[in-house]
Structures are given as C-alpha cells and as structure tokens.
Amino acid sequence: MYSFQILEGLIQEEYPLIGCESPLQERLRLLVHITQFCQNTNRKCYLWNLGEEAIKELTIKDSKLAIRGFAEYTPKPRYNKEDYFHVLSFWKEYQESGVLIIENIYPWIKENSPKETDFFLVSEWIKSSLINIKLYNQNTGKIALILGATADISSDIAAEILIWKQDLPDVSEIINSLTQAGVLPPEYTKIDVLTVANAGMGLYISDILNLLKEVRKTTDFINSEEVAIALLKQKIQLLNRLYDIEFLPPPKVQLGGLELMQESFKKFKRLLTPGAKQYNLRVPKGIMLVGPPGTGKSHSAKACSQNMGIPLIMVDWGNFRSFGNQAEIKLERLLKVADKLSQIILYFDDFDKGFAGDDDLAKRLAGKLLTWMQERTSDVLVIASVNRMEWLPPELTRAGRFDYLFKVDLPNNGERYTIFKLHAARFDERFRNGGDPWSEEEWRRILKATNRCVGAEIQTIVERAASTIFCSTVKEDIYSEEKLPPLKLTIEALLEERRQINPLALREADTVESMRNKADQQALPSSPLDSSRFAVGNIDIFG
C-alpha cells in the first residue's frame, strides 16, 4: 500500500489528532495530495503555520494547489508567547468539520525540549491544547494533522497522538508518479519506465523529479538506459550529501590474500538468488572485521562488494556521530534508504570509535542499529570494521547480532609478496600480467625487512620508492609529449624506504598485540596458513 493511502485511511476514520512526518522536499506533494483527497471526500482543508500567522483554505484548481484566505479565523493579539498558537484554541472551539494542517510546533512538543521557563510554559500549554483538541473533537469530523520533517513527540503525550510517517516509495509508486507527472517520453515502454524507476529507488518522488530535470539538461531522453545511468549518478551525489556517506557501485579491486574470507563472500552472493529464497535462506545479519589499523578492512569491504556484485555504502561511524542530536534521525533514514535499495552492503568504518566514550548517544545509536538488524526483511548486508573489540558493548558481539567475525591480521609472507606485486604493477610494467623480474632471494630480502608491515605501509613503501626513482632518473625539463623511459623499481629503493618508516606493529607493539589477541579469541581467520614458497616453514635456516 502506498504511504499516502495509509494517511487517507486515517483521515477517513476521522482520528482527531494525527502526527505526520514528511521530509521538507515532499511538502508540496503532500499538501496537494491531502487537499485533493479532502475535495474528493467533501471535506474542507486548511493550513496554518508560524510563517502565515493565519489559517488559509486549500483547494485544487486546474490540478494545482490554490491558497485563499479564511475569514472565520482572527489571530489573537500577542500579549503572551502562547498567543502565537491561538490556532489550537480556535480549532478546539470551531463548529465546522474539516482537516487543519498545523506546521512548526514539533520543537515545542519533542522529547528533551529546552527547560527554560518561557519555553517550558509554552510547551506545556501546547501539549495541553493538543490533548483538549483530541478530547473535544471526538466524532466531530474535525481532524488536526501536525506536520513536520521529524515527528519527535514527548513521551508524556506520545500515546495521545497517532503517528504517520511517509515512507520512501517502492518501485510501483515511482512508476505511477513518473507516469502521472509526464516527465518521460510517451514512447517509453513499461521496461523503459521500470529502468528509470529502479535508478531512482531510495529517493522520495520530489527528489526523483528534480533530479530528472537536471538529467534533462545533459541527456536527450531517447535511450532509457542513458537516463537511468545519469539519474543514478545524480542520486549518488545527493545521498552522499544528505548522509555524509560514500556510495560506491561494485568496485574493481584486487585483494592480496584473505582467501578464507573471500570464499565466504562468494557464498553470500549465492544467498541473494531466488533459489536461496525458496529455502528461506538469507544473507547474514552482519559481518565484523576485526584487526589492527591498516590491515585492509575497508579494502575487504570493497572486495565483498565486488564478489557479490552489489553496491557499497561506506559510513564513518565515528564521524556519523558528529550530527549530534540529529544522528539518530540520520541513521534511521539511512537504514530506510538501505532497506529500499535492498541488495546492498552497508559498511560502518571504525565502528568501535563510536563507543570509546561510552556515552548515551552511542548506546542509542547502537540500539537503533541492532533493532533494525534484528527486524529487517531486506537483503542488506551490514559490515563493520573494528580495531578494539573491548570498546564495543557486549550485546553487539553476542551470537545473533553479527553472524560472522573475521580476524584481518598482519599479512604473512605470501600475502605481503602478493601485495607488493599488486602495488608494483601500478608503476613498473615488468610486474603486470603476472610478471616477476626478481629472484626468490631478492624477494626474501624484502619480505624479511617488511615483517609486521601491514598492507597500507607496503603501499606507502612502493609509492615512495617509485617517486624517488622517478625524481632521480627523469630530467626536470622533459616535455610531457616525449616518450618517457620505463620506470623500474629496485630492491635497494624499497629497502631504503622501509628504513625510513616505523611500522605501527613495531611502534605500538603492545597495543597491536592486544588487538590481535582479542580478535583471536572471538573471530574466524581470514587467511589460511601460509603455503607459499615464502612461508616460514619453507625457509632453509642452514642455507
């Protein structure tokens, strides 16, 4: 059922007091829809907000919203602050039926509102007025809709107000809205319209229509695939801006090692298939990646997105809390977006940092996330990266919360060999297509020198060595169009750069070992035992 249809049912049943949560960008669409419904059911529709200061009557004329004055309401002279809200007393006493939409009063009736004397007195007056409206307007045909972007209501009156929240539209609602708005060419087939609608999933209708206007500036709308791709790009930019996230289509990444974890990712992909649904099988509720910084946890999440072929939403959990009191609302809306997108990975980076202070906001956010993970029915896969497991509340790591815990450890010799080759291939063509210009003995020198280095540190070593070689071999005044000589990495350059850095696992040995030990106690290994030719067991100590 469409979200608006649920609201229509509540109006039809004449609930006297209804709290409505709808995003600001949907305000005009909602007002038009309510007014049209009232007109169709022979009800008067009115609007009041602090900006208008007066009640306005709403009608639909030529399919557009028409606003006109309402002579029966006279604002009260403002001798006291509660006089600003005289409309509440008026609606309680008004003798005619109808629907009154009231805006701008949620700040006075929300939970944990300011306790200053003047604000508190006005807040209590408004709450009492709303309770009286419900009491006096039973079975009178008078309905008050309290409209705002967030229906945050104080617990002392929450039971008195029925709440309706505007959900994100599903694909059928998007198709219906696009068809009614006439924004797509009439020659589009049902498949064409579905293609565009799928690209807009996770957005409200108003956002989709506005983004399609932007798309029209650069796209001719002849090919629905091109329109969908352009709309998807616009959607990604909007979501990134709204939620301070990074939305990534399935990336193309290479991961050195961690074979056991990658095999699990491939298994999870099969759980997205229709066949798995017939057996009531679903992707795990959550996966936790545990290990020291720089070991490749974020890179592993991208590899999971690649292996499963579904998009990735990256959220810095610590920074997410910077929204303050809005963090819970942002999280709730982000989870709704993820639910609508369904087959997607929601990755929370540095998950443990959000709980370092053990404050009330951290607990509320964790509770909201856990409740959603427990109750969700979509195919969203939650992945969280953690450095310090001891910072997490115990309820987060118990069975049934995060189904899989993987230890992402310091890379072994074989994995460091693979990581070196992946990064070296970016600069030295000799390493591409499986090439390897160095002897086993040369590799052993590098691997021994980089023992306890993580992937991020190996990347830094290779990049700095490539920069040093470039600066020493290519003349400064060379023209860009000239063919440059191939850049060749050397063992000596890599070893020199290694000498200039102090790996975290050596610099903070006690801390890193504590992280590894705690991960060992609860998490599964991400890598099998090193069976490469560089494994410790394959070294001839008498050679």
Side-chain angles (χ1 to χ4, degrees):
M1 182 182 289
Y2 294 167
S3 189
F4 284 167
Q5 290 176 342
I6 297 174
L7 179 59
E8 290 172 4
L10 299 178
I11 295 173
Q12 193 71 17
E13 295 182 28
E14 297 188 349
Y15 284 90
L17 198 57
I18 304 172
C20 300
E21 179 175 298
S22 177
L24 185 60
Q25 65 267 34
E26 284 283 278
R27 178 177 182 264
L28 179 58
R29 283 189 69 246
L30 181 61
L31 293 178
V32 168
H33 196 97
I34 294 173
T35 305
Q36 185 67 67
F37 176 74
C38 288
Q39 237 170 247
N40 294 342
T41 54
N42 297 316
R43 289 181 171 88
K44 295 287 188 179
C45 187
Y46 307 101
L47 173 68
W48 177 92
N49 57 46
L50 283 173
E52 289 286 358
E53 299 182 0
I55 292 179
K56 299 292 184 179
E57 184 175 352
L58 305 180
T59 58
I60 299 296
K61 187 174 183 180
D62 299 327
S63 300
K64 294 183 179 180
L65 187 69
I67 303 175
R68 61 189 185 192
F70 180 61
E72 295 187 53
Y73 175 73
T74 303
K76 188 177 180 181
R78 296 170 180 171
Y79 299 117
N80 302 299
K81 289 185 172 61
E82 56 265 28
D83 292 336
Y84 281 87
F85 303 96
H86 171 64
V87 64
L88 301 177
S89 299
F90 168 82
W91 192 244
K92 182 190 73 174
E93 304 292 343
Y94 186 55
Q95 297 301 309
E96 302 295 328
S97 62
V99 175
L100 173 63
I101 303 169
I102 303 171
E103 297 184 298
N104 308 127
I105 69 169
Y106 277 121
W108 282 269
I109 62 173
K110 69 179 182 178
E111 193 74 56
N112 300 317
S113 58
K115 300 302 181 184
E116 289 83 355
T117 302
D118 286 350
F119 195 98
F120 176 78
L121 291 175
V122 174
S123 173
E124 292 300 305
W125 184 90
I126 291 175
K127 291 177 185 178
S128 299
S129 298
L130 292 174
I131 293 173
N132 286 334
I133 284 176
K134 183 178 180 182
L135 178 65
Y136 280 72
N137 291 355
Q138 293 283 351
N139 304 316
T140 63
K142 287 193 295 182
I143 302 163
L145 301 182
I146 308 171
L147 178 60
T150 305
D152 181 10
I153 299 178
S154 177
S155 55
D156 55 349
I157 63 165
E160 303 295 326
I161 303 176
L162 194 68
I163 299 296
W164 169 82
K165 294 186 179 184
Q166 184 175 348
D167 291 330
L168 286 164
D170 58 23
V171 69
S172 59
E173 188 175 354
I174 296 174
I175 290 173
N176 186 54
S177 299
L178 292 179
T179 303
Q180 289 182 352
V183 295
L184 300 179
E187 60 269 19
Y188 268 21
T189 66
K190 290 183 179 180
I191 298 298
D192 291 327
V193 178
L194 177 62
T195 300
V196 177
N198 280 330
M201 285 292 290
L203 298 177
Y204 287 98
I205 300 296
S206 300
D207 291 326
I208 296 172
L209 296 176
N210 289 333
L211 292 183
L212 283 173
K213 291 179 183 178
E214 293 298 314
V215 170
R216 189 174 287 279
K217 295 177 182 179
T218 57
T219 309
D220 55 20
F221 274 56
I222 295 175
N223 187 315
S224 62
E225 289 285 349
E226 292 181 0
V227 174
I229 292 172
L231 177 59
L232 180 61
K233 290 180 180 178
Q234 294 281 348
K235 178 178 79 172
I236 289 172
Q237 292 177 10
L238 179 60
L239 291 177
N240 290 351
R241 189 169 68 250
L242 287 175
Y243 301 106
D244 193 23
I245 60 175
E246 187 177 1
F247 188 111
L248 300 174
K252 294 183 179 180
V253 297
Q254 293 177 302
L255 191 62
L258 308 180
E259 291 88 352
L260 295 180
M261 184 168 60
Q262 292 199 72
E263 284 300 318
S264 295
F265 293 160
K266 293 174 183 176
K267 181 180 73 174
F268 300 152
K269 180 178 182 179
R270 292 204 60 195
L271 297 179
L272 296 173
T273 62
K277 298 293 184 293
Q278 292 185 31
Y279 287 97
N280 294 320
L281 298 173
R282 296 172 54 195
V283 293
K285 291 191 179 93
I287 298 172
M288 191 173 288
L289 308 180
V290 187
T295 49
K297 296 185 289 294
S298 299
H299 203 64
S300 297
K302 294 178 181 178
C304 181
S305 172
Q306 176 180 268
N307 284 325
M308 296 183 68
I310 57 177
L312 174 70
I313 293 179
M314 302 186 71
V315 185
D316 189 318
W317 184 261
N319 288 344
F320 195 81
R321 298 175 70 253
S322 65
F323 288 117
N325 292 332
Q326 291 293 310
E328 288 179 90
I329 297 169
K330 290 278 188 180
L331 178 60
E332 182 178 350
R333 291 176 179 170
L334 177 60
L335 296 178
K336 285 183 178 180
V337 170
D339 267 332
K340 282 297 179 184
L341 296 174
S342 190
Q343 293 193 2
I344 197 165
I345 295 171
L346 191 55
Y347 173 63
F348 295 108
D349 194 17
D350 289 333
F351 193 51
D352 52 324
K353 290 183 179 178
F355 304 97
D358 193 32
D359 59 299
D360 189 51
L361 175 60
K363 293 176 182 177
R364 296 200 307 270
L365 289 173
K368 189 173 291 291
L369 177 62
L370 289 177
T371 300
W372 173 80
M373 288 175 66
Q374 193 72 30
E375 298 176 353
R376 67 170 175 78
T377 56
S378 60
D379 283 327
V380 180
L381 175 60
V382 177
I383 301 180
S385 70
V386 172
N387 296 330
R388 294 176 176 270
M389 294 195 68
E390 64 269 24
W391 285 355
L392 298 178
E395 61 269 21
L396 275 173
T397 54
R398 75 166 175 82
R401 300 299 194 187
F402 285 86
D403 301 300
Y404 290 85
L405 276 70
F406 287 105
K407 178 185 179 184
V408 186
D409 204 359
L410 305 179
N412 57 41
N413 284 355
E415 288 175 328
R416 292 203 307 284
Y417 167 72
T418 303
I419 295 170
F420 262 113
K421 287 188 63 180
L422 289 176
H423 290 298
R426 296 162 50 203
F427 309 104
D428 190 335
E429 60 187 21
R430 296 176 299 167
F431 289 90
R432 295 166 193 167
N433 301 317
D436 185 351
W438 295 337
S439 67
E440 183 172 322
E441 185 57 35
E442 289 174 313
W443 274 114
R444 290 196 184 280
R445 288 179 62 197
I446 295 175
L447 297 178
K448 181 179 179 181
T450 56
N451 183 38
R452 297 181 68 80
C453 286
V454 296
E457 290 162 343
I458 292 172
Q459 177 181 345
T460 299
I461 290 170
V462 174
E463 289 174 349
R464 287 171 53 168
S467 299
T468 300
I469 292 171
F470 168 79
C471 293
S472 62
T473 58
V474 179
K475 294 183 295 185
E476 290 187 27
D477 57 350
I478 194 167
Y479 291 105
S480 59
E481 60 266 21
E482 294 184 34
K483 183 171 178 59
L484 300 177
L487 189 148
K488 293 185 178 181
L489 293 170
T490 65
I491 305 294
E492 289 70 23
L494 292 172
L495 293 176
E496 178 57 31
E497 295 300 336
R498 164 60 189 89
R499 282 190 286 270
Q500 294 184 26
I501 71 167
N502 189 8
L504 178 68
L506 297 177
R507 188 173 69 250
E508 301 288 343
D510 290 345
T511 302
V512 170
E513 285 308 302
S514 175
M515 294 178 185
R516 297 177 69 201
N517 290 336
K518 286 184 170 60
D520 264 335
Q521 296 169 11
Q522 299 188 53
L524 299 169
S526 298
S527 306
L529 293 175
D530 188 3
S531 59
S532 71
R533 58 193 169 111
F534 301 107
V536 175
N538 292 334
I539 296 177
D540 182 4
I541 62 174
F542 299 105

